[in-house]
Amino acid sequence: MPAWAKDGQHPDFPRQTHIAAYAAADTAVNAKQAADMLLEELITERVIDLAGERLAGTRLGHMLSGRAAWLLAPELGQGVKRDFATDGFEAVAVSAIEYSELKYRAQGLLTLALELWRQNVPPPELDHAAQRAKSWIERFWLSVRVFALRILGENEVDREALSAAETAALTLIDLPAQMNVSLDGLKQKAQLMGGTKEDLALTASFRGRSLQGLSLRWAVEVPGNRVISGSPEFNTAGQAFCKVFMLAGNGSDYAYVQARLDLDGLSGRRLGLSLPAWRWQIVVPSRRQALLDIDVQEKYGEALTEPVFLPAATEWARLNDLTLASDIHPIKAKDYPYRLRLAGSIKVSVLRQGEKLIARAEGSLTLSDADSSATIYRYSPSALLEGNAESKPSELAAFALREAAAETLLEFGARVLALLPAPPTKN
């Protein structure tokens, strides 16, 4: 691999004179495609930077919130220069265009863009949501391209094109507010190491008609492990569903699954507009709303011995802000949506072998969801200690029990803390 593939500084495309986009992929074709797409976004970012306050203070400037690509790499023809490198396992590609070349190309594209925009008229009032969205997307696309090309080619703001783009964007963003919408599956509880029992459902209509053909994008707002699968668009009945297979928070008590109309998916273009979302609040495992129930017996032979594991586990739980079921009144325990149960036994036996005493501690413990009885993790601790003939069997047994208890706490402790994240710290 050449140096530029590692440090992102191609000698032919210095940052002072070029916009350069670097991308890595499994093949050269995929890497080149990814680099072109990133270059298109960087060019749009340059448009926004050049416009500066002339755009930032406008309604359009406030509405831009997503990835945008208002000019496409193929339109720029030979002005886009490319290179790639591969080591046989990974390919790295760069797509770049010189600032002066970009200005020249923009000036050439502006005439055609103006002609197409002026031929387009504001769409009529439509009752079909998908057709309404597509027509206003086209209006926005043609308008914002004129704005972008004028900025790149002449560093001037086309006020008429900007106003048309704002009108189109406002019409699109207002579309969800005009729909009749109902959400099902709200305020469910995500299972430990799982998802919700019921699917999330979205039913919507626009002026009495279904939304068939409108694309949707599903996402989870709170970062963390999640696996969801949502309908890519509304069906003929105006419904869309999302399966939540797994949902884990970052210490917050709730996570939010959201669905929004996907204008990029509907148009096949990256417009930079993000519509308001419909949201489902889901209870997720967190340390503040979980109880830990510990029921571990420790035996020396058949007789109960001085407990070691329970005091250590209790201290560990309190140091990590875990609420123990033994500290909560049974009536209050019902207020906690999650309950973990750690149960089992550790047994110690001492045998004499010749001049030595052998203490063996072994057991079987299970971490489970107390509500569903589903097993989360099983572990069998084992500790073996030797003592001389003068050793006291009870002391040797106690040492073996401590070894097994420490090993068990290490195994289960990390898993419990991972299942029940602590609240985010405030800086």
Side-chain angles (χ1 to χ4, degrees):
M1 283 286 197
W4 65 262
K6 302 174 183 178
D7 59 21
Q9 298 191 24
H10 198 291
D12 295 339
F13 314 128
R15 298 182 184 275
Q16 295 81 2
T17 57
H18 289 73
I19 300 177
Y22 298 82
D26 53 346
T27 66
V29 173
N30 291 339
K32 290 177 181 179
Q33 183 179 12
D36 275 0
M37 292 179 65
L38 181 56
L39 178 65
E40 294 166 356
E41 294 177 9
L42 293 178
I43 291 173
T44 304
E45 288 181 11
R46 178 161 176 80
V47 171
I48 296 172
D49 290 342
L50 288 174
E53 291 299 322
R54 295 174 293 177
L55 176 63
T58 66
R59 291 177 298 177
L60 180 60
H62 289 292
M63 286 186 284
L64 296 175
S65 58
R67 299 171 62 183
W70 296 336
L71 296 180
L72 306 180
E75 295 180 293
L76 303 173
Q78 296 181 355
V80 178
K81 307 299 181 184
R82 300 176 177 86
D83 197 0
F84 79 96
T86 180
D87 59 2
F89 296 96
E90 183 182 46
V92 178
V94 56
S95 297
I97 187 168
E98 195 173 1
Y99 290 126
S100 58
E101 181 72 19
L102 178 60
K103 180 178 180 179
Y104 168 74
R105 298 278 174 174
Q107 291 171 345
L109 291 169
L110 180 58
T111 302
L112 177 60
L114 279 167
E115 182 180 347
L116 293 174
W117 173 57
R118 286 170 179 157
Q119 290 174 358
N120 182 269
V121 296
E125 192 68 20
L126 297 172
D127 292 337
H128 191 285
Q131 293 177 3
R132 181 185 180 91
K134 288 178 180 178
S135 60
W136 281 107
I137 285 172
E138 186 67 17
R139 180 71 176 168
F140 174 80
W141 176 254
L142 295 175
S143 304
V144 82
R145 279 172 55 80
V146 171
F147 170 80
L149 291 169
R150 184 83 75 182
I151 287 289
L152 291 173
E154 303 172 3
N155 198 17
E156 293 183 0
V157 173
D158 192 312
R159 298 292 177 184
E160 189 178 358
L162 175 60
S163 177
E166 287 180 333
T167 300
L170 286 169
T171 304
L172 290 167
I173 289 176
D174 188 51
L175 184 58
Q178 297 187 40
M179 297 177 180
N180 292 322
V181 179
S182 64
L183 306 181
D184 294 320
L186 294 166
K187 297 184 178 179
Q188 293 189 71
K189 182 182 80 170
Q191 305 302 306
L192 284 166
M193 299 181 68
T196 57
K197 291 183 178 180
E198 299 177 9
D199 291 348
L200 312 183
L202 168 64
T203 305
S205 63
F206 179 73
R207 298 179 180 176
R209 298 189 178 187
S210 73
L211 305 181
Q212 184 181 11
L214 276 182
S215 301
L216 285 168
R217 180 182 300 170
W218 298 83
V220 178
E221 295 180 14
V222 176
N225 295 326
R226 68 270 191 187
V227 181
I228 66 172
S229 177
S231 305
E233 62 180 40
F234 287 98
N235 61 21
T236 55
Q239 295 178 311
F241 302 93
C242 179
K243 289 185 178 294
V244 180
F245 297 102
M246 184 180 72
L247 195 60
N250 64 344
S252 301
D253 297 340
Y254 304 97
Y256 293 87
V257 178
Q258 62 172 233
R260 67 178 77 231
L261 296 182
D262 184 8
L263 299 182
D264 292 358
L266 187 63
S267 66
R269 299 159 176 165
R270 286 160 287 164
L271 304 176
L273 299 177
S274 183
L275 302 192
W278 298 290
R279 305 166 81 224
W280 288 259
Q281 185 187 71
I282 308 295
V283 178
V284 292
S286 69
R287 209 161 296 180
R288 284 182 300 219
Q289 51 186 6
L291 280 180
L292 178 60
D293 185 8
I294 303 175
D295 182 15
V296 177
Q297 293 185 339
E298 301 163 77
K299 297 181 179 180
Y300 175 27
E302 294 301 324
L304 290 174
T305 186
E306 186 74 19
V308 173
F309 179 80
L310 182 58
T314 300
E315 182 181 1
W316 166 83
R318 289 171 178 159
L319 286 173
N320 287 282
D321 296 324
L322 287 164
T323 305
L324 294 170
S326 57
D327 294 340
I328 299 295
H329 191 278
I331 296 178
K332 290 290 185 181
K334 297 178 181 178
D335 296 335
Y336 290 80
Y338 297 97
R339 291 188 62 184
L340 286 172
R341 178 178 173 81
L342 179 57
S345 63
I346 304 175
K347 182 179 180 179
V348 185
S349 59
V350 180
L351 301 174
R352 184 178 296 277
Q353 292 184 355
E355 298 297 322
K356 295 181 179 180
L357 288 178
I358 306 296
R360 180 187 296 276
E362 54 190 356
S364 178
L365 291 94
T366 302
L367 181 67
S368 61
D369 182 345
D371 295 326
S372 65
S373 300
T375 298
I376 298 172
Y377 184 67
R378 283 194 178 95
Y379 183 68
S380 297
S382 178
L384 186 67
L385 294 179
E386 292 185 3
N388 54 36
E390 290 77 21
S391 300
K392 293 183 178 179
S394 59
E395 292 180 355
L396 196 60
F399 279 121
L401 186 58
R402 289 192 187 97
E403 289 282 338
E407 183 182 330
T408 302
L409 194 56
L410 283 173
E411 283 291 326
F412 283 99
R415 286 170 172 79
V416 171
L417 296 183
L419 281 172
L420 306 173
T425 56
K426 294 182 179 180
N427 295 327

